Amino acid sequence: MSSLKRGWRLLPCSVLAIGLLVSAGAGAQKVNSSPNFVGSGARALGMGGAFIAVADDATAASWNPGGLTQLERPELSIVYSWKWFNEKFADTRFVTPDGTYRVDLDELNYLSFVYPIPWTLSGRNLVLSLNFQRKYDFDRSLAFRGQTSNVRNPAAPWTHWSGYIDFQQKGSLATLSPAAGIELTDRLSIGMAVNIWDSSIIGDNEWESVTRRRTIVSGVIRAPGGGLIPFTGAGTHNTHEKYENIEGLNYTFGALYKATDRLSFGAVYHTAYSTDVDYTQVDEFRGTVFGRNEFRTKLRIDWPASMGVGVAYRFPKDKLTLTFDITRRNWNSFVQIYPDGPIQVRGTGPGIPAALAGARVSPLTNLDKRISPADPTYTLRLGGEYVFFNPDKPRQKFLPSVRAGIFWDPEPASGRHDTPTGIAPANGDTDDYYGFALGLGLLMYNRVNIDLAYEYRRGDNVRRDTLVGTALEPGFHEDVNQHLLYLSTVIYF
Protein backbone atom coordinates (compact mmCIF):
# COMPACT_ATOMS: atom_id res chain seq x y z
CA MET A 1 0.00 0.00 0.00
CA SER A 2 2.83 2.42 0.81
CA SER A 3 4.45 1.81 -2.61
CA LEU A 4 1.13 2.46 -4.26
CA LYS A 5 0.77 5.81 -2.50
CA ARG A 6 4.36 6.78 -3.34
CA GLY A 7 3.74 5.85 -6.97
CA TRP A 8 0.66 7.99 -7.24
CA ARG A 9 2.47 10.97 -5.76
CA LEU A 10 5.20 10.60 -8.39
CA LEU A 11 2.87 10.45 -11.37
CA PRO A 12 3.01 13.51 -13.66
CA CYS A 13 0.52 16.29 -12.91
CA SER A 14 -1.06 16.08 -16.36
CA VAL A 15 -2.36 12.66 -15.37
CA LEU A 16 -3.23 13.33 -11.75
CA ALA A 17 -4.91 16.69 -12.34
CA ILE A 18 -7.97 15.01 -13.81
CA GLY A 19 -9.36 15.14 -10.31
CA LEU A 20 -10.63 11.60 -10.48
CA LEU A 21 -8.01 10.11 -8.17
CA VAL A 22 -10.68 9.62 -5.59
CA SER A 23 -8.40 7.89 -3.13
CA ALA A 24 -6.49 11.17 -2.95
CA GLY A 25 -9.41 12.91 -1.26
CA ALA A 26 -12.64 14.79 -1.55
CA GLY A 27 -11.24 18.11 -2.64
CA ALA A 28 -11.98 17.57 -6.33
CA GLN A 29 -13.32 20.63 -8.11
CA LYS A 30 -17.10 20.60 -8.46
CA VAL A 31 -18.55 20.56 -11.94
CA ASN A 32 -19.72 24.06 -12.80
CA SER A 33 -23.31 24.69 -13.88
CA SER A 34 -24.96 28.09 -13.58
CA PRO A 35 -28.74 28.47 -13.29
CA ASN A 36 -30.68 29.47 -16.39
CA PHE A 37 -33.20 32.30 -16.17
CA VAL A 38 -36.60 31.30 -17.57
CA GLY A 39 -38.87 33.66 -19.50
CA SER A 40 -42.66 33.66 -19.24
CA GLY A 41 -45.37 33.12 -21.82
CA ALA A 42 -45.51 31.91 -25.41
CA ARG A 43 -46.50 35.27 -26.85
CA ALA A 44 -43.62 37.19 -25.29
CA LEU A 45 -41.06 34.50 -26.08
CA GLY A 46 -42.29 34.27 -29.67
CA MET A 47 -41.20 37.92 -29.96
CA GLY A 48 -37.71 37.02 -28.77
CA GLY A 49 -38.53 38.03 -25.19
CA ALA A 50 -38.71 41.74 -26.11
CA PHE A 51 -41.84 42.50 -24.11
CA ILE A 52 -41.07 45.18 -21.48
CA ALA A 53 -42.72 47.99 -23.46
CA VAL A 54 -45.64 45.78 -24.60
CA ALA A 55 -46.68 43.79 -21.48
CA ASP A 56 -50.35 43.68 -22.45
CA ASP A 57 -51.26 40.13 -21.43
CA ALA A 58 -51.40 38.13 -18.21
CA THR A 59 -47.61 37.59 -18.10
CA ALA A 60 -47.14 41.34 -17.52
CA ALA A 61 -46.52 40.61 -13.83
CA SER A 62 -43.28 38.93 -14.93
CA TRP A 63 -42.13 41.32 -17.68
CA ASN A 64 -43.48 44.67 -16.47
CA PRO A 65 -46.30 44.93 -13.88
CA GLY A 66 -46.98 48.47 -15.10
CA GLY A 67 -48.59 46.92 -18.17
CA LEU A 68 -51.33 45.17 -16.19
CA THR A 69 -53.59 48.20 -16.55
CA GLN A 70 -54.02 47.37 -20.26
CA LEU A 71 -56.03 44.26 -19.38
CA GLU A 72 -59.73 45.09 -19.48
CA ARG A 73 -61.37 41.73 -18.72
CA PRO A 74 -60.82 38.97 -16.16
CA GLU A 75 -58.71 36.23 -17.65
CA LEU A 76 -57.10 32.94 -16.80
CA SER A 77 -53.75 32.11 -18.40
CA ILE A 78 -51.71 28.91 -18.42
CA VAL A 79 -48.34 28.35 -20.12
CA TYR A 80 -46.62 25.00 -20.57
CA SER A 81 -43.08 24.57 -21.83
CA TRP A 82 -41.00 21.82 -23.41
CA LYS A 83 -37.25 22.11 -23.48
CA TRP A 84 -34.53 19.98 -24.99
CA PHE A 85 -30.89 20.80 -25.51
CA ASN A 86 -27.62 19.12 -26.33
CA GLU A 87 -24.02 19.91 -25.52
CA LYS A 88 -21.16 19.00 -27.82
CA PHE A 89 -17.85 18.94 -25.97
CA ALA A 90 -14.42 19.57 -27.41
CA ASP A 91 -11.83 16.80 -27.12
CA THR A 92 -8.64 17.50 -25.25
CA ARG A 93 -5.47 15.51 -25.15
CA PHE A 94 -6.49 13.39 -22.18
CA VAL A 95 -10.25 13.88 -21.80
CA THR A 96 -12.90 12.79 -24.28
CA PRO A 97 -16.62 13.47 -23.86
CA ASP A 98 -18.79 10.40 -23.78
CA GLY A 99 -21.09 11.37 -26.62
CA THR A 100 -23.27 14.44 -27.18
CA TYR A 101 -25.63 15.07 -24.30
CA ARG A 102 -29.33 15.78 -24.45
CA VAL A 103 -31.65 16.93 -21.70
CA ASP A 104 -35.42 16.84 -22.20
CA LEU A 105 -37.94 18.31 -19.80
CA ASP A 106 -41.42 19.72 -19.67
CA GLU A 107 -43.01 21.80 -16.96
CA LEU A 108 -45.61 24.38 -16.06
CA ASN A 109 -44.08 27.72 -17.03
CA TYR A 110 -46.77 30.20 -15.94
CA LEU A 111 -50.24 30.25 -14.40
CA SER A 112 -52.18 33.40 -13.59
CA PHE A 113 -55.56 34.92 -12.89
CA VAL A 114 -56.15 38.60 -13.67
CA TYR A 115 -59.04 40.71 -12.39
CA PRO A 116 -59.59 44.38 -13.34
CA ILE A 117 -61.29 46.28 -10.51
CA PRO A 118 -64.60 47.66 -11.89
CA TRP A 119 -64.48 50.82 -9.74
CA THR A 120 -61.47 53.01 -9.12
CA LEU A 121 -60.59 56.49 -7.88
CA SER A 122 -60.98 59.10 -10.64
CA GLY A 123 -61.74 56.35 -13.15
CA ARG A 124 -58.13 55.13 -13.29
CA ASN A 125 -57.64 51.48 -14.20
CA LEU A 126 -56.61 49.20 -11.33
CA VAL A 127 -55.81 45.55 -12.12
CA LEU A 128 -54.92 42.75 -9.70
CA SER A 129 -53.38 39.39 -10.56
CA LEU A 130 -52.10 36.24 -8.90
CA ASN A 131 -49.28 34.45 -10.69
CA PHE A 132 -47.22 31.29 -10.55
CA GLN A 133 -44.02 31.79 -12.55
CA ARG A 134 -41.07 29.53 -13.18
CA LYS A 135 -37.90 31.62 -12.68
CA TYR A 136 -34.80 29.36 -12.88
CA ASP A 137 -34.04 25.86 -14.07
CA PHE A 138 -30.95 23.84 -13.20
CA ASP A 139 -31.27 20.80 -15.48
CA ARG A 140 -28.03 19.53 -16.98
CA SER A 141 -26.38 16.23 -17.88
CA LEU A 142 -22.84 15.45 -18.99
CA ALA A 143 -20.18 12.74 -18.83
CA PHE A 144 -16.49 12.43 -19.71
CA ARG A 145 -14.15 9.54 -20.29
CA GLY A 146 -10.39 9.91 -20.19
CA GLN A 147 -7.30 7.79 -20.55
CA THR A 148 -3.59 8.10 -21.25
CA SER A 149 -0.58 5.82 -21.11
CA ASN A 150 3.22 5.68 -21.58
CA VAL A 151 3.72 9.09 -20.03
CA ARG A 152 7.40 10.02 -20.07
CA ASN A 153 8.54 10.67 -16.53
CA PRO A 154 11.77 9.49 -14.86
CA ALA A 155 9.88 8.55 -11.70
CA ALA A 156 7.25 6.50 -13.55
CA PRO A 157 8.57 5.04 -16.83
CA TRP A 158 5.19 3.58 -17.73
CA THR A 159 1.68 4.38 -16.54
CA HIS A 160 -1.83 3.93 -17.77
CA TRP A 161 -4.75 5.94 -16.43
CA SER A 162 -8.45 5.70 -17.23
CA GLY A 163 -11.51 7.15 -15.57
CA TYR A 164 -14.74 9.06 -15.94
CA ILE A 165 -16.92 11.83 -14.55
CA ASP A 166 -20.70 11.59 -14.77
CA PHE A 167 -22.72 14.67 -13.71
CA GLN A 168 -26.52 14.93 -13.43
CA GLN A 169 -28.35 18.00 -12.16
CA LYS A 170 -32.07 18.70 -12.02
CA GLY A 171 -34.55 21.04 -10.40
CA SER A 172 -36.08 24.50 -10.71
CA LEU A 173 -37.16 27.56 -8.75
CA ALA A 174 -40.57 29.23 -9.03
CA THR A 175 -42.49 31.94 -7.21
CA LEU A 176 -46.04 32.73 -6.19
CA SER A 177 -46.47 36.38 -7.17
CA PRO A 178 -49.46 38.58 -6.34
CA ALA A 179 -49.29 41.75 -8.45
CA ALA A 180 -51.11 45.01 -9.07
CA GLY A 181 -51.01 47.75 -11.69
CA ILE A 182 -52.60 51.20 -11.59
CA GLU A 183 -52.88 54.15 -13.96
CA LEU A 184 -51.41 57.40 -12.64
CA THR A 185 -52.35 59.39 -15.75
CA ASP A 186 -53.86 58.58 -19.12
CA ARG A 187 -50.36 57.76 -20.37
CA LEU A 188 -48.41 56.52 -17.33
CA SER A 189 -49.01 53.29 -15.42
CA ILE A 190 -47.01 51.66 -12.66
CA GLY A 191 -47.15 48.23 -11.04
CA MET A 192 -45.56 45.92 -8.52
CA ALA A 193 -45.32 42.16 -8.01
CA VAL A 194 -44.35 40.45 -4.75
CA ASN A 195 -42.37 37.28 -5.51
CA ILE A 196 -42.64 34.67 -2.76
CA TRP A 197 -39.95 31.96 -2.90
CA ASP A 198 -41.25 29.37 -0.45
CA SER A 199 -41.02 25.58 -0.73
CA SER A 200 -43.93 25.15 1.69
CA ILE A 201 -46.14 26.80 -0.95
CA ILE A 202 -44.45 25.44 -4.09
CA GLY A 203 -43.41 21.91 -3.22
CA ASP A 204 -40.83 21.24 -5.96
CA ASN A 205 -38.81 24.41 -5.33
CA GLU A 206 -35.46 22.66 -5.01
CA TRP A 207 -32.53 21.33 -7.00
CA GLU A 208 -29.94 18.61 -6.63
CA SER A 209 -26.89 17.21 -8.39
CA VAL A 210 -25.06 13.90 -8.43
CA THR A 211 -21.41 13.62 -9.53
CA ARG A 212 -19.86 10.17 -10.01
CA ARG A 213 -16.11 9.74 -10.50
CA ARG A 214 -14.12 6.57 -11.11
CA THR A 215 -10.38 6.07 -11.70
CA ILE A 216 -8.09 3.15 -12.54
CA VAL A 217 -4.32 3.75 -12.56
CA SER A 218 -1.61 1.15 -13.20
CA GLY A 219 2.05 1.10 -14.17
CA VAL A 220 5.53 0.94 -12.72
CA ILE A 221 7.57 3.38 -10.66
CA ARG A 222 11.25 3.54 -9.86
CA ALA A 223 12.13 2.44 -6.34
CA PRO A 224 14.44 4.71 -4.30
CA GLY A 225 17.15 2.03 -4.35
CA GLY A 226 16.72 1.20 -8.03
CA GLY A 227 14.52 -1.24 -9.83
CA LEU A 228 10.87 -0.94 -10.85
CA ILE A 229 7.81 -1.47 -8.66
CA PRO A 230 4.49 -2.34 -10.33
CA PHE A 231 1.36 -0.71 -8.94
CA THR A 232 -2.34 -0.59 -9.62
CA GLY A 233 -5.22 1.21 -7.94
CA ALA A 234 -8.88 1.99 -8.46
CA GLY A 235 -11.43 4.05 -6.68
CA THR A 236 -14.72 5.91 -6.88
CA HIS A 237 -15.91 9.16 -5.37
CA ASN A 238 -19.64 9.99 -5.56
CA THR A 239 -21.04 13.34 -4.42
CA HIS A 240 -24.74 14.08 -3.91
CA GLU A 241 -25.77 17.68 -3.20
CA LYS A 242 -29.28 18.89 -2.45
CA TYR A 243 -30.74 22.38 -1.94
CA GLU A 244 -34.23 22.38 -0.45
CA ASN A 245 -36.70 24.25 1.79
CA ILE A 246 -36.17 27.54 -0.04
CA GLU A 247 -37.44 30.71 1.65
CA GLY A 248 -37.10 34.25 0.33
CA LEU A 249 -38.91 37.36 -0.93
CA ASN A 250 -38.29 40.00 -3.57
CA TYR A 251 -40.19 42.58 -5.60
CA THR A 252 -40.69 43.51 -9.23
CA PHE A 253 -41.44 47.17 -10.03
CA GLY A 254 -42.54 48.30 -13.45
CA ALA A 255 -43.65 51.39 -15.35
CA LEU A 256 -45.23 51.84 -18.78
CA TYR A 257 -45.39 55.21 -20.49
CA LYS A 258 -47.36 55.72 -23.72
CA ALA A 259 -45.74 58.74 -25.31
CA THR A 260 -48.23 58.59 -28.20
CA ASP A 261 -50.96 56.22 -29.27
CA ARG A 262 -48.30 54.22 -31.11
CA LEU A 263 -45.05 54.70 -29.19
CA SER A 264 -44.53 53.30 -25.68
CA PHE A 265 -41.63 52.98 -23.26
CA GLY A 266 -41.26 50.47 -20.44
CA ALA A 267 -38.95 49.96 -17.49
CA VAL A 268 -38.70 47.14 -14.95
CA TYR A 269 -36.62 46.47 -11.85
CA HIS A 270 -36.34 43.14 -10.03
CA THR A 271 -34.85 43.65 -6.57
CA ALA A 272 -31.98 41.57 -5.23
CA TYR A 273 -32.94 39.06 -2.58
CA SER A 274 -31.67 36.38 -0.25
CA THR A 275 -33.03 32.86 0.17
CA ASP A 276 -32.45 30.57 3.12
CA VAL A 277 -31.69 27.07 1.90
CA ASP A 278 -31.24 23.71 3.64
CA TYR A 279 -28.10 22.24 2.09
CA THR A 280 -26.96 18.62 2.28
CA GLN A 281 -23.79 17.11 0.81
CA VAL A 282 -22.99 13.41 0.90
CA ASP A 283 -19.61 12.04 -0.27
CA GLU A 284 -18.94 8.32 -0.65
CA PHE A 285 -15.49 6.82 -1.27
CA ARG A 286 -14.53 3.35 -2.45
CA GLY A 287 -10.99 2.23 -3.28
CA THR A 288 -7.72 2.72 -1.44
CA VAL A 289 -9.76 4.88 0.94
CA PHE A 290 -13.24 3.95 2.13
CA GLY A 291 -15.68 6.20 3.88
CA ARG A 292 -18.82 8.27 3.82
CA ASN A 293 -19.24 11.92 4.80
CA GLU A 294 -22.45 13.83 5.26
CA PHE A 295 -22.86 17.42 6.34
CA ARG A 296 -25.91 19.65 6.60
CA THR A 297 -26.27 23.35 7.09
CA LYS A 298 -28.58 26.29 6.49
CA LEU A 299 -27.10 28.36 3.67
CA ARG A 300 -27.97 31.85 2.54
CA ILE A 301 -27.84 32.48 -1.19
CA ASP A 302 -27.82 36.09 -2.40
CA TRP A 303 -29.45 36.35 -5.81
CA PRO A 304 -28.78 39.21 -8.25
CA ALA A 305 -30.93 42.21 -9.01
CA SER A 306 -31.88 42.88 -12.62
CA MET A 307 -33.33 45.77 -14.56
CA GLY A 308 -34.47 46.49 -18.08
CA VAL A 309 -35.85 49.11 -20.43
CA GLY A 310 -37.79 48.72 -23.64
CA VAL A 311 -39.43 50.62 -26.46
CA ALA A 312 -42.29 49.51 -28.72
CA TYR A 313 -43.89 51.05 -31.79
CA ARG A 314 -47.23 50.03 -33.28
CA PHE A 315 -47.59 50.92 -36.94
CA PRO A 316 -50.73 52.44 -38.49
CA LYS A 317 -53.70 50.11 -38.89
CA ASP A 318 -52.51 48.30 -35.69
CA LYS A 319 -51.22 45.28 -37.58
CA LEU A 320 -47.47 45.42 -36.97
CA THR A 321 -45.67 46.06 -33.67
CA LEU A 322 -41.89 46.22 -33.28
CA THR A 323 -40.19 46.18 -29.88
CA PHE A 324 -36.66 46.33 -28.48
CA ASP A 325 -35.35 45.57 -24.95
CA ILE A 326 -32.08 45.93 -23.05
CA THR A 327 -31.67 44.17 -19.70
CA ARG A 328 -28.90 43.76 -17.13
CA ARG A 329 -28.56 41.07 -14.45
CA ASN A 330 -26.03 41.65 -11.66
CA TRP A 331 -24.39 38.23 -11.41
CA ASN A 332 -21.43 39.89 -9.69
CA SER A 333 -23.54 39.86 -6.49
CA PHE A 334 -24.45 36.16 -6.76
CA VAL A 335 -22.94 34.51 -3.64
CA GLN A 336 -23.47 31.51 -1.36
CA ILE A 337 -22.89 32.26 2.32
CA TYR A 338 -22.23 29.66 5.02
CA PRO A 339 -23.37 30.39 8.59
CA ASP A 340 -20.95 31.55 11.27
CA GLY A 341 -22.07 28.80 13.61
CA PRO A 342 -21.21 25.08 13.62
CA ILE A 343 -22.02 22.85 10.66
CA GLN A 344 -23.52 19.44 11.36
CA VAL A 345 -21.01 16.85 10.13
CA ARG A 346 -20.87 13.10 10.40
CA GLY A 347 -18.76 10.59 8.56
CA THR A 348 -15.63 8.51 8.42
CA GLY A 349 -13.99 9.53 5.15
CA PRO A 350 -11.52 12.26 4.16
CA GLY A 351 -12.33 15.78 3.13
CA ILE A 352 -14.81 16.87 5.82
CA PRO A 353 -15.43 20.60 5.22
CA ALA A 354 -14.06 21.97 8.49
CA ALA A 355 -13.34 25.57 7.42
CA LEU A 356 -16.63 26.67 5.87
CA ALA A 357 -18.03 28.72 8.76
CA GLY A 358 -18.76 32.22 7.49
CA ALA A 359 -17.37 31.49 4.03
CA ARG A 360 -18.62 33.52 1.05
CA VAL A 361 -18.46 31.27 -2.02
CA SER A 362 -19.25 31.82 -5.69
CA PRO A 363 -21.93 29.30 -6.76
CA LEU A 364 -20.37 29.43 -10.23
CA THR A 365 -16.99 28.05 -9.14
CA ASN A 366 -17.28 26.82 -5.54
CA LEU A 367 -14.35 29.16 -4.73
CA ASP A 368 -14.00 32.10 -2.38
CA LYS A 369 -15.96 34.99 -3.86
CA ARG A 370 -12.97 37.34 -3.53
CA ILE A 371 -10.95 35.37 -6.08
CA SER A 372 -13.88 34.34 -8.26
CA PRO A 373 -15.64 37.37 -9.77
CA ALA A 374 -18.53 37.24 -12.23
CA ASP A 375 -19.43 40.06 -14.58
CA PRO A 376 -23.03 41.27 -15.01
CA THR A 377 -24.79 40.06 -18.13
CA TYR A 378 -26.46 42.35 -20.67
CA THR A 379 -29.20 41.07 -22.95
CA LEU A 380 -30.41 42.61 -26.21
CA ARG A 381 -33.74 41.53 -27.72
CA LEU A 382 -35.56 42.64 -30.87
CA GLY A 383 -39.00 41.31 -31.77
CA GLY A 384 -42.15 41.91 -33.71
CA GLU A 385 -45.78 40.82 -34.00
CA TYR A 386 -48.09 41.00 -37.02
CA VAL A 387 -51.84 40.63 -36.45
CA PHE A 388 -54.04 39.69 -39.41
CA PHE A 389 -56.68 42.22 -38.50
CA ASN A 390 -59.34 43.17 -41.05
CA PRO A 391 -60.46 46.76 -40.38
CA ASP A 392 -63.60 46.13 -42.43
CA LYS A 393 -64.74 43.52 -39.90
CA PRO A 394 -65.11 45.01 -36.40
CA ARG A 395 -65.49 41.53 -34.96
CA GLN A 396 -63.52 38.58 -36.35
CA LYS A 397 -64.28 35.05 -35.19
CA PHE A 398 -60.67 34.06 -35.74
CA LEU A 399 -57.82 36.53 -35.39
CA PRO A 400 -54.42 34.98 -36.24
CA SER A 401 -51.00 36.52 -35.64
CA VAL A 402 -47.36 35.71 -36.32
CA ARG A 403 -44.27 36.71 -34.31
CA ALA A 404 -40.51 36.61 -34.58
CA GLY A 405 -37.49 37.84 -32.67
CA ILE A 406 -33.71 37.69 -32.33
CA PHE A 407 -31.59 38.05 -29.20
CA TRP A 408 -28.13 38.08 -27.65
CA ASP A 409 -28.35 36.49 -24.21
CA PRO A 410 -25.05 35.83 -22.35
CA GLU A 411 -24.76 33.54 -19.33
CA PRO A 412 -22.63 34.12 -16.22
CA ALA A 413 -19.27 32.36 -16.06
CA SER A 414 -16.07 32.61 -14.09
CA GLY A 415 -13.64 32.90 -17.00
CA ARG A 416 -11.39 30.31 -15.36
CA HIS A 417 -9.77 27.80 -17.73
CA ASP A 418 -6.91 25.34 -17.79
CA THR A 419 -3.57 26.25 -19.34
CA PRO A 420 -0.44 24.15 -19.99
CA THR A 421 1.08 25.43 -16.75
CA GLY A 422 -1.93 25.66 -14.43
CA ILE A 423 -5.29 27.36 -14.06
CA ALA A 424 -5.91 30.87 -15.38
CA PRO A 425 -7.50 32.99 -12.63
CA ALA A 426 -11.14 33.98 -12.79
CA ASN A 427 -11.87 37.20 -14.66
CA GLY A 428 -15.66 37.00 -14.71
CA ASP A 429 -15.98 36.97 -18.51
CA THR A 430 -19.46 35.86 -19.57
CA ASP A 431 -20.37 33.17 -22.11
CA ASP A 432 -22.04 34.47 -25.27
CA TYR A 433 -25.34 32.96 -26.39
CA TYR A 434 -27.56 34.14 -29.21
CA GLY A 435 -30.65 32.89 -31.02
CA PHE A 436 -34.01 33.53 -32.60
CA ALA A 437 -37.67 32.87 -31.87
CA LEU A 438 -40.82 32.24 -33.91
CA GLY A 439 -44.42 32.35 -32.74
CA LEU A 440 -48.03 31.87 -33.79
CA GLY A 441 -51.22 33.08 -32.15
CA LEU A 442 -54.94 32.58 -32.65
CA LEU A 443 -57.76 34.45 -30.89
CA MET A 444 -61.07 32.60 -31.25
CA TYR A 445 -64.44 34.28 -30.76
CA ASN A 446 -62.73 36.92 -28.64
CA ARG A 447 -62.81 34.41 -25.76
CA VAL A 448 -59.96 31.94 -26.11
CA ASN A 449 -56.42 32.72 -27.21
CA ILE A 450 -53.84 30.06 -28.09
CA ASP A 451 -50.18 30.95 -28.59
CA LEU A 452 -47.26 28.77 -29.66
CA ALA A 453 -43.60 29.77 -29.63
CA TYR A 454 -40.32 28.12 -30.61
CA GLU A 455 -36.95 29.43 -29.44
CA TYR A 456 -33.49 28.36 -30.58
CA ARG A 457 -30.49 29.39 -28.48
CA ARG A 458 -26.86 28.64 -29.24
CA GLY A 459 -23.51 29.12 -27.53
CA ASP A 460 -20.15 28.47 -29.23
CA ASN A 461 -16.93 27.92 -27.30
CA VAL A 462 -18.69 28.32 -23.94
CA ARG A 463 -18.47 26.74 -20.48
CA ARG A 464 -14.69 26.56 -20.54
CA ASP A 465 -14.78 26.44 -16.73
CA THR A 466 -16.91 23.28 -16.52
CA LEU A 467 -14.03 20.99 -15.52
CA VAL A 468 -11.40 23.49 -14.40
CA GLY A 469 -8.86 21.81 -12.15
CA THR A 470 -9.83 18.34 -13.31
CA ALA A 471 -8.24 18.44 -16.79
CA LEU A 472 -4.99 20.37 -16.74
CA GLU A 473 -5.15 21.22 -20.38
CA PRO A 474 -6.01 24.22 -22.59
CA GLY A 475 -8.71 24.15 -25.22
CA PHE A 476 -11.64 22.58 -23.40
CA HIS A 477 -15.00 24.11 -24.34
CA GLU A 478 -18.56 23.20 -25.29
CA ASP A 479 -20.92 24.07 -28.13
CA VAL A 480 -24.47 24.23 -26.79
CA ASN A 481 -27.75 24.04 -28.73
CA GLN A 482 -31.02 24.67 -26.90
CA HIS A 483 -34.54 24.26 -28.24
CA LEU A 484 -37.61 25.47 -26.34
CA LEU A 485 -41.28 25.14 -27.16
CA TYR A 486 -43.99 27.09 -25.30
CA LEU A 487 -47.77 26.71 -25.49
CA SER A 488 -50.10 29.28 -23.89
CA THR A 489 -53.84 29.32 -23.43
CA VAL A 490 -55.73 32.40 -22.27
CA ILE A 491 -59.43 32.35 -21.45
CA TYR A 492 -61.25 35.70 -21.24
CA PHE A 493 -64.34 36.01 -19.07
Side-chain angles (χ1 to χ4, degrees), residues 72-146:
E72 299 177 347
R73 293 182 292 172
E75 61 182 72
L76 176 68
S77 175
I78 184 170
V79 184
Y80 211 76
S81 65
W82 291 263
K83 178 179 179 180
W84 63 102
F85 61 88
N86 60 64
E87 302 181 34
K88 183 179 180 181
F89 309 109
D91 289 347
T92 62
R93 181 179 176 187
F94 297 117
V95 181
T96 301
D98 190 20
T100 299
Y101 278 82
R102 291 179 58 93
V103 173
D104 302 274
L105 62 119
D106 58 276
E107 61 187 4
L108 179 65
N109 171 262
Y110 203 90
L111 177 66
S112 68
F113 178 72
V114 177
Y115 186 75
I117 302 299
W119 50 267
T120 60
L121 184 65
S122 301
R124 302 298 184 192
N125 287 344
L126 172 63
V127 179
L128 306 178
S129 71
L130 182 62
N131 310 268
F132 166 90
Q133 43 184 331
R134 190 77 59 181
K135 290 285 194 178
Y136 292 100
D137 77 65
F138 295 83
D139 295 271
R140 195 175 180 201
S141 173
L142 57 87
F144 294 89
R145 301 292 188 273

Side-chain angles (χ1 to χ4, degrees), residues 282-430:
V282 177
D283 287 283
E284 295 180 328
F285 308 89
R286 298 289 186 271
T288 57
V289 174
F290 289 83
R292 183 181 188 275
N293 295 331
E294 176 180 334
F295 78 94
R296 302 173 182 270
T297 187
K298 174 76 76 170
L299 297 178
R300 192 185 93 200
I301 299 179
D302 289 349
W303 296 83
S306 66
M307 62 288 295
V309 294
V311 57
Y313 183 78
R314 189 173 68 252
F315 286 80
K317 298 184 179 181
D318 299 336
K319 291 185 176 183
L320 176 63
T321 300
L322 294 181
T323 180
F324 175 72
D325 286 0
I326 302 176
T327 59
R328 168 187 164 122
R329 194 168 299 273
N330 295 335
W331 290 107
N332 53 306
S333 60
F334 186 35
V335 60
Q336 182 170 295
I337 303 170
Y338 288 84
D340 291 329
I343 298 175
Q344 179 182 343
V345 180
R346 58 183 179 183
T348 59
I352 292 177
L356 291 177
R360 296 174 61 86
V361 173
S362 167
L364 301 177
T365 60
N366 199 40
L367 298 175
D368 189 297
K369 183 65 176 177
R370 293 171 296 182
I371 61 172
S372 186
D375 290 345
T377 56
Y378 292 86
T379 299
L380 305 179
R381 299 179 182 273
L382 174 66
E385 178 181 54
Y386 187 89
V387 181
F388 293 90
F389 172 70
N390 187 346
D392 297 329
K393 293 183 179 180
R395 296 181 65 87
Q396 292 181 228
K397 293 182 179 180
F398 300 97
L399 186 62
S401 57
V402 295
R403 306 170 188 115
I406 56 175
F407 55 84
W408 174 60
D409 181 26
E411 281 189 4
S414 70
R416 299 175 79 229
H417 60 277
D418 289 308
T419 71
T421 58
I423 299 173
N427 57 19
D429 287 351
T430 59

Side-chain angles (χ1 to χ4, degrees), residues 8 11 158-162 216-220 231-233:
W8 279 22
L11 288 176
W158 181 86
T159 59
H160 180 82
W161 167 91
S162 65
I216 301 175
V217 181
S218 60
V220 295
F231 70 90
T232 185

